[in-house]
Amino acid sequence: MPASTAKSFFWKAVRDSIPFVFVAGPFGLLFGVLATEANLDLLATMVFTTTVFAGAAQFTALQALNDHMPTLIVIISALAVNLRVAMYSAALTPWLGNAPFWQRALAAYFTVDQSYALSVAQYETRPDMSIPERMAYFFGTVALIAPLWYLCTLAGALLGARIPESWALDFALPIAFLAMIAPMLRTPAHVAAALVAIVTALLAAGLPYNLGLLVAGLAGMMAGARVEAAAERRAGVA
């Protein structure tokens, strides 16, 4: 039976998010361990992970702190890594822009890779969803992941170095991105943007402060926009 209420959309999102649970858990655990190794105490680690709630940016900031970079550079590096969230917000605005302010503010905090990828895919599949249904689905995508992230970070911070290195928890990050990105490559513009971003990121890997990632993101967006514009011109001519 298809989902037809805000409540049913919420629980559908919870079910859809279950695969990401197997990624968020190890990822949060790893962050807790590394934060401990970086000499952050338990309170600082939990304040960090609950206020930022952005895994890649948290790892970037942690690495920069370990490298004793200036505070300004730490902030800029974390913001550069998290720049994609600004693009996520822009992409979600047509779907959630008419929701009440407090809901949009809460959604801004919970906008991460998983919530964005799942929500946009759902909205594009069901464009007839109402605003309450869209918000319910969005919050359902993080109903499992957010508490799990906090709890696993806490567990990692408490266990610290007692977790054996053979567990290789850092496998979670690339798997998460592959699982999210692959289903989204549905048009030539998507594929072109991904390929150009990958090549640019590899070529610009030597740039300081993770600036290569920022350059790759911009190059990918430009390539995708050019391919999409060319496709629209061809469709207009036809």
Side-chain angles (χ1 to χ4, degrees), residues 29 33 36-37 154-167 169:
L29 196 63
V33 173
T36 302
E37 293 178 352
L154 177 62
L158 292 174
L159 294 173
R162 280 175 287 181
I163 296 179
E165 293 184 3
S166 60
W167 285 19
L169 297 174

Side-chain angles (χ1 to χ4, degrees), residues 31 45 48-50 52-63 78 149 153:
F31 178 76
T45 300
F48 192 1
T49 203
T50 53
V52 179
F53 190 55
Q58 289 178 227
F59 278 96
T60 301
L62 204 59
Q63 183 60 48
W149 173 260
T153 298

Side-chain angles (χ1 to χ4, degrees), residues 135-169:
M135 293 305 305
Y137 186 88
F138 181 89
F139 289 124
T141 62
V142 291
L144 289 177
I145 293 172
L148 181 68
W149 173 260
Y150 304 142
L151 290 174
C152 286
T153 298
L154 177 62
L158 292 174
L159 294 173
R162 280 175 287 181
I163 296 179
E165 293 184 3
S166 60
W167 285 19
L169 297 174

